[in-house]
Amino acid sequence: MTTPAELRQDFAHVTDWVFDLDNTLYPRECNLFAQIDLLISDYMVAVTHLPYAEARALQKTYYREHGTTLHGLMLHHGVDPDHFLKTVHDIDYSGVPAHPGLAAAMAALPGRKFILTNGDVGHAEAVLNKVGLAGQFTDIFDIRSMQFKPKPLLVAYTSFLEAHDVDATRTAFFDDLEKNHVVPHEIGMRTVLVTAEDDFEHAQVESWELGRGSGPHIHHTTDDLAGFLATVV
């Protein structure tokens, strides 16, 4: 087991801290993304005219093969991304709890902090306001900034690095999906997989979506982001 001193040493070189948004900066248990997931399914039905079960299966195929369902819809159906994002982010944010401990731990980090999300800026700002993290980040690099080419595609990361002159070898990357850590590891980032407490699942998520996993591309795993960051500092 890594000791606190070893953990601090492992992140001593970091000057830029990069965080995913959904299920990373708020707990998966609040089911926020489950709302989005169901709205995406309804959108799939409207676009494809398939029965619900078939449309939902196609939704998961697009998500698995293209990084996001939106990317698949753009490639195969010519969907307007702005209309899609506005529709699927029309959700209730009241279930997202404030997290003063995370806000304090985040504020104590040395260097710059960024959001790197396959969602959009409006959704990210709504979440950050609820959690208590508004104003802490140098930039929210969202799906529009990525030109709609999402994580885990290489270009999603390289476009971010270039836009902000970030040195990947001096960067820590936090995300709840195991697949999203492959490229960051390859380009030299320190990677941290953020997991749910108690292996939380819900009816809208399949087992492969939970991001559990291990391997050389995962340097650390935590189910307590605030505690992890406090220990690193």
Side-chain angles (χ1 to χ4, degrees):
M1 180 178 292
T2 305
T3 67
E6 290 170 335
L7 196 61
R8 287 191 291 273
Q9 182 60 36
D10 209 24
F11 288 82
H13 67 293
V14 172
T15 58
D16 291 293
W17 307 79
V18 181
F19 297 87
D20 175 47
L21 181 80
D22 289 307
N23 298 328
T24 297
L25 295 185
Y26 63 84
R28 188 187 294 271
E29 289 83 352
C30 74
N31 262 7
L32 189 65
F33 199 74
Q35 296 182 60
I36 298 171
D37 189 70
L38 290 174
L39 290 174
I40 294 174
S41 295
D42 292 340
Y43 202 96
M44 289 291 300
V45 171
V47 169
T48 65
H49 306 292
L50 292 170
Y52 186 87
E54 294 179 34
R56 185 162 176 81
L58 184 61
Q59 169 189 344
K60 297 302 181 179
T61 297
Y62 285 170
Y63 177 54
R64 185 169 51 246
E65 295 182 353
H66 299 295
T68 62
T69 304
L70 171 58
H71 194 204
L73 284 169
M74 292 175 67
L75 289 173
H76 299 291
H77 303 275
V79 161
D80 173 18
D82 291 318
H83 182 263
F84 174 91
L85 291 167
K86 180 180 180 180
T87 302
V88 305
H89 288 141
D90 184 17
I91 60 174
D92 177 11
Y93 290 92
S94 63
V96 179
H99 198 329
L102 179 58
M106 195 76 72
L109 293 176
R112 298 183 297 176
K113 291 160 287 187
F114 297 93
I115 301 292
L116 183 61
T117 176
N118 286 346
D120 68 2
V121 167
H123 171 59
E125 288 177 341
V127 169
L128 297 178
N129 284 333
K130 294 294 292 184
V131 177
L133 292 171
Q136 289 221 31
F137 297 92
T138 299
D139 187 37
I140 299 170
F141 202 83
D142 73 341
I143 193 65
R144 291 186 177 88
S145 303
M146 299 174 192
Q147 302 297 309
F148 301 103
K149 296 175 182 176
K151 298 178 293 184
L153 300 177
L154 173 62
V155 67
Y157 305 93
T158 55
S159 60
F160 161 71
L161 296 175
E162 292 168 2
H164 291 286
D165 194 25
V166 172
D167 180 352
T169 65
R170 302 192 56 152
T171 299
F173 177 76
F174 299 78
D175 198 293
D176 68 300
L177 294 179
E178 179 268 337
K179 65 179 182 178
N180 288 345
H181 289 274
V182 175
V183 169
H185 174 266
E186 290 175 346
I187 62 179
M189 293 184 183
R190 184 67 59 198
T191 61
V192 182
L193 180 66
V194 181
T195 62
E197 294 183 6
D198 303 321
D199 289 337
F200 176 79
E201 298 187 38
H202 58 71
Q204 281 73 55
V205 71
E206 298 179 11
S207 60
W208 63 268
E209 297 179 74
L210 290 173
R212 304 184 187 109
S214 60
H217 58 293
I218 303 294
H219 296 128
H220 300 280
T221 301
T222 183
D223 63 3
D224 176 13
L225 180 59
F228 185 92
L229 295 178
T231 302
V232 166
V233 173

